[in-house]
Amino acid sequence: MAKSGGAGRRSSEETRERLISAAAETLREDGYAGASARAIAARAEANSALVFYHFGGVDQLLLAALDRSSAERMAMYRELTAPARTLEELVEAAVRIYRTDLERGYITEFSELVAAAVTKPELRDEIRDRAEPWIAFIEQEWERVLGGSPLARLLPAREVAYGALTFYLGVNLFSVLDEDHSRTEGVFELAGRLAPRARLLTLRLPRRGRGTTGAAEAEETDGDGGVGGAGENG
């Protein structure tokens, strides 16, 4: 009897995971409008009633799919951005993140749910809560690399994070007109050209109380072509 119960739990968990995978695929390929319980269940080779049994509804299932992809992406992108020590390297990491999200359909997943929230107020808080860790992630990386520099004062981390997320969503909407992604790639190329020219703005300013020693250290790090103390937090 114990064996039968264990097998049942495994089978139930496997069905749940299949439904989450099917929900993500359906959202990417057919959009929110095509993500019905029947369509998702058919893709998962399961009964549509199981969508409600395991998740309580389609929206909850789609949010579970978003949660899973977000967790995978966060782990992957933290590792990707960790080596960045200059604005140029941060821009390069951002381009790689964008291309990965585009190729794997992550942009579509998030954007479809954001679009659905326009007409479904009950989704708004759910999406807002799930966007916050990404805003915090961008904010942390901006501060880690550029905190204490004139550029960070000119462009505060929180506003940069909001701008990045807005661009992220806009890219997916604009892709309808920019099918070969050449215009979006042009934006990244422009950012890549501007980043080296902002070198002086990315030098960390000496902290108060350090006097001329801090200024001398900033000059020395500039000679190496990097951001002074960019690897430190703060």
Side-chain angles (χ1 to χ4, degrees):
M1 197 69 180
K3 274 188 177 180
S4 176
R9 284 193 295 273
R10 286 195 297 274
S11 177
S12 178
E13 185 60 29
E14 287 168 2
T15 299
R16 191 177 188 279
E17 290 302 310
R18 286 206 317 274
L19 286 168
I20 291 175
S21 296
E25 292 170 8
T26 304
L27 196 57
R28 290 194 298 265
E29 296 176 16
D30 302 325
Y32 182 82
S36 65
R38 181 176 295 179
I40 294 170
R43 193 184 288 263
E45 299 181 347
N47 190 305
S48 60
L50 292 174
V51 170
F52 300 91
Y53 173 77
H54 285 288
F55 301 96
V58 174
D59 284 347
Q60 290 79 8
L61 170 55
L62 294 175
L63 289 170
L66 181 63
D67 288 340
R68 187 169 75 176
S69 65
S70 290
E72 293 170 353
R73 291 168 61 226
M74 185 65 79
M76 181 167 53
Y77 297 154
R78 282 193 184 281
E79 185 176 343
L80 177 63
T81 58
R85 293 292 181 271
T86 66
L87 178 60
E88 295 97 311
E89 292 171 350
L90 206 54
V91 170
E92 288 171 6
V95 173
R96 289 179 63 187
I97 287 172
Y98 158 73
R99 289 174 178 163
T100 300
D101 276 4
L102 186 65
E103 290 167 4
R104 300 188 184 185
Y106 292 139
I107 288 180
T108 302
E109 278 184 50
F110 186 64
S111 299
E112 284 289 330
L113 287 172
V114 170
V118 172
T119 55
K120 298 189 75 171
E122 62 271 22
L123 274 176
R124 292 174 192 171
D125 286 343
E126 300 283 359
I127 299 300
R128 188 182 299 112
D129 290 345
R130 286 163 172 79
E132 193 58 38
W134 289 99
I135 292 171
F137 168 62
I138 298 168
E139 191 175 2
Q140 290 162 8
E141 290 304 289
W142 185 262
E143 278 293 334
R144 179 182 66 80
V145 175
L146 298 167
S149 71
L151 186 62
R153 294 184 181 182
L154 181 65
L155 300 175
R158 193 72 174 175
E159 282 69 21
V160 168
Y162 284 136
L165 189 62
T166 301
F167 175 76
Y168 183 94
L169 292 171
V171 162
N172 186 62
L173 295 173
F174 191 66
S175 64
V176 176
L177 303 176
D178 186 29
E179 293 182 0
D180 64 355
H181 309 297
S182 59
R183 298 175 187 178
T184 303
E185 289 291 343
V187 174
F188 283 119
E189 288 173 10
L190 175 61
R193 291 197 303 271
L194 290 177
R197 291 168 171 77
R199 185 176 301 279
L200 289 177
L201 288 176
T202 63
L203 293 178
R204 287 178 185 267
L205 297 175
R207 293 175 181 170
R208 290 181 181 179
R210 292 176 63 186
T212 56
T213 303
E217 288 175 357
E219 290 176 3
E220 288 174 6
T221 54
D222 185 37
D224 292 333
V227 178
E232 300 173 1
N233 291 323

